[in-house]
Amino acid sequence: MALTSATLTHNGKNVKKGADRALLALMASIKDVYFRQVSHFLEEGNKHHERRGQLPPTLVVRDNLWDLQCAQLRKFLELAKKHGASESDPRVLFGYHGTSVENADKIFLEGFSPACRRSSGAGAYFSGKLEYSAGYAQQRGPGDILLVVLLLDGNTSGVPVCAICEEKPMIHVQGCVFDEKYAMPLARLRGF
């Protein structure tokens, strides 16, 4: 049987194998790491709020996050595949991005955009430290922190950001820059 003639079912829809099969496998490997990471994200947010005597932040996850019909996800996966990512090596890390609630709403729906840069740097800023990102969220009034999956090839800061750790594949630096197209928001904590 030829791969291109068979179909897979994903979220109740038929998906042609061939090209989409590779994207589904890549998505599954990122998704596995994400589930471990989102727990860490919530833990770190709770610790931050507890130290300040505040109620825990609210976790928000995007609708249709793991659906190939989501244009933002498909675009990210296709870019990852183009850069050599595979099921065994997704070539991704996770980072935090602190911003205002209004900006977080827009980023969550549309992704990061070069048109919305506030600085002259070549990309968007991310951190491996929730406390550092919380400072940026708080500067903008009530803010949010986004958990973002980052494709390693998008690092434009010139500093190594890779932390080799299966359990917690976080950026290991306080701040770095990624080209916006290599970053996709996955979840957010509200209430900073």
Side-chain angles (χ1 to χ4, degrees):
M1 171 169 75
L3 287 179
T4 54
S5 63
T7 59
L8 290 172
T9 301
H10 179 66
N11 284 352
K13 298 175 179 133
N14 286 333
V15 178
K16 291 188 187 256
K17 273 193 175 181
D20 282 354
R21 181 175 163 198
L23 293 183
L24 284 171
L26 180 56
M27 180 179 73
S29 65
I30 294 172
K31 189 177 182 181
D32 288 344
V33 182
Y34 160 77
F35 282 124
R36 291 193 302 264
Q37 192 54 48
V38 78
S39 297
H40 174 73
F41 182 42
L42 190 50
E43 259 175 50
E44 290 296 301
N46 285 338
K47 284 182 202 171
H48 172 87
H49 278 58
E50 192 174 292
R51 281 192 291 273
R52 284 162 177 71
Q54 299 173 318
L55 292 172
T58 304
L59 178 69
V60 180
V61 180
R62 282 191 21 227
D63 290 337
N64 78 348
L65 177 59
W66 301 110
D67 185 348
L68 280 184
Q69 305 305 314
C70 172
Q72 199 177 136
L73 173 64
R74 180 175 276 280
K75 188 175 170 183
F76 182 81
L77 291 172
E78 286 171 347
L79 184 62
K81 188 176 165 214
K82 178 181 169 187
H83 281 273
S86 67
E87 184 177 2
S88 60
D89 177 17
R91 303 188 45 73
V92 297
L93 285 173
F94 293 87
Y96 304 126
H97 180 80
T99 189
S100 69
V101 172
E102 296 79 22
N103 287 346
D105 285 339
K106 187 171 174 124
I107 293 168
F108 221 52
L109 292 173
E110 301 170 15
F112 290 91
S113 167
C116 297
R117 285 183 194 164
R118 289 187 178 239
S119 64
S120 58
Y125 287 76
F126 301 95
S127 178
K129 301 181 187 321
L130 187 134
E131 292 288 332
Y132 187 73
S133 294
Y136 280 91
Q138 291 161 349
Q139 283 175 15
R140 287 151 179 81
D144 286 4
I145 297 178
L146 301 173
L147 175 64
V148 181
V149 62
L150 303 159
L151 189 59
L152 279 170
D153 302 272
N155 179 14
T156 63
S157 60
V159 296
V161 296
C162 189
I164 307 301
C165 175
E166 288 293 315
E167 292 301 311
K168 201 174 77 167
M170 283 297 296
I171 293 169
H172 74 281
V173 294
Q174 183 167 285
C176 61
V177 182
F178 274 72
D179 183 317
E180 289 90 349
K181 69 182 175 187
Y182 293 87
M184 188 179 77
L186 297 174
R188 67 200 271 200
L189 286 177
R190 307 192 83 161
F192 285 85

